[in-house]
Amino acid sequence: MHLKQPLRRRRGAQLEDALLTAAWGEIREHGYGGLTFEGVAARAHTSRSVVRRRWADKQELARAAVAHQGQQIHTDVPDTGTLRGDVLGLLSHASERLSGMLEMFIFRFGVHFAETGTSLAELRATYLGDRKSSMDAARRRAAERGEIDSAVVPTRISRLPFDLVRNEVIMTLGSVPVEVLEEIVDTIFLPLVQPGPAGDRRRS
């Protein structure tokens, strides 16, 4: 329930930011099924017509809200001096962020998937936008230190630790324990990318 307040005069980016923040708030509270232009307008303290002028339907509005929310996320790539430390830091951050994001997507956007025929992967791509992978910087530094040969690390292997963490979060709906993150890095990821018998077998 939103208390009636005077309409606020905002324009341009400031207005759009307020509307998309309000739309995300409505989805978080009521789910995609409960998203309405009226609810967004009330939360943003503006009129329904202001919202309708910018987005043709609630599918478009929801996608814009997801993309806007994704733009608020900024990841600082840790520089621990080792690839292991950097990747563990990135996975720890990803685990904390993903537990909230995936819960939101799975439970609040179910109606959206059914209505649009889209998937969780497509919604995630909207959320991520054109952000570069945080693994790129960690991998580049590791190559400069001589820990890996970046030329022989395929994209899928670079993504593998995050894919495994995401699977853990989906299955448990919670953050991933440190010991599981260490297992992913030490027994799966590093043997695939660092010089040695495992790396030699992969390259052959």
Side-chain angles (χ1 to χ4, degrees):
M1 180 177 178
H2 306 291
L3 297 177
K4 191 170 182 179
Q5 296 186 23
L7 300 185
R8 299 177 184 173
R9 293 190 177 278
R10 292 154 295 186
R11 290 182 171 81
Q14 184 186 31
L15 175 58
E16 184 160 310
D17 178 79
L19 295 175
L20 292 175
T21 299
W24 185 257
E26 287 292 295
I27 296 170
R28 180 177 290 280
E29 187 172 335
H30 305 295
Y32 173 81
L35 177 66
T36 65
F37 287 102
E38 291 82 1
V40 172
R43 186 180 287 264
H45 309 303
T46 188
S47 66
R48 182 180 184 275
S49 62
V50 168
V51 187
R52 286 306 301 259
R53 280 199 297 268
R54 286 162 176 78
W55 298 283
D57 53 42
K58 78 173 190 175
Q59 293 178 13
E60 188 177 310
L61 173 59
R63 286 193 298 270
V66 169
H68 177 263
Q69 184 65 20
Q71 291 166 7
Q72 313 310 307
I73 304 301
H74 302 285
T75 301
D76 293 325
V77 181
D79 189 358
T80 65
T82 67
L83 179 61
R84 180 183 189 274
D86 290 354
V87 175
L88 279 174
L90 288 172
L91 293 185
S92 178
H93 177 81
S95 170
E96 295 174 5
R97 177 169 47 81
L98 281 170
S99 59
M101 185 194 77
L102 287 175
E103 184 176 1
M104 176 80 170
F105 284 176
I106 291 169
F107 292 110
R108 299 303 187 191
F109 281 88
V111 175
H112 177 270
F113 299 137
E115 185 178 291
T116 63
T118 56
S119 65
L120 178 60
E122 291 170 288
L123 193 64
R124 175 177 173 270
T126 299
Y127 179 82
L128 293 176
D130 58 0
R131 286 207 304 272
K132 291 184 181 296
S133 170
S134 53
M135 181 66 85
D136 290 345
R139 187 176 62 184
R140 185 175 61 254
R141 289 199 299 251
E144 291 169 354
R145 290 191 297 261
E147 289 186 86
I148 63 170
D149 179 355
S150 61
V152 297
V153 181
T155 300
R156 183 166 293 279
I157 290 180
S158 289
R159 292 201 311 252
L160 180 60
F162 297 98
D163 291 342
L164 293 173
V165 167
R166 185 165 58 252
N167 180 71
E168 290 284 336
V169 172
I170 289 173
M171 296 305 293
T172 65
L173 295 180
S175 57
V176 182
V178 173
E179 57 270 22
V180 175
L181 298 180
E182 291 177 339
E183 183 179 18
I184 289 171
V185 173
D186 293 336
T187 68
I188 300 173
F189 179 64
L190 290 181
L192 288 174
V193 300
Q194 290 185 325
D200 292 341
R201 286 195 299 272
R202 178 174 57 77
R203 284 191 288 274
S204 65

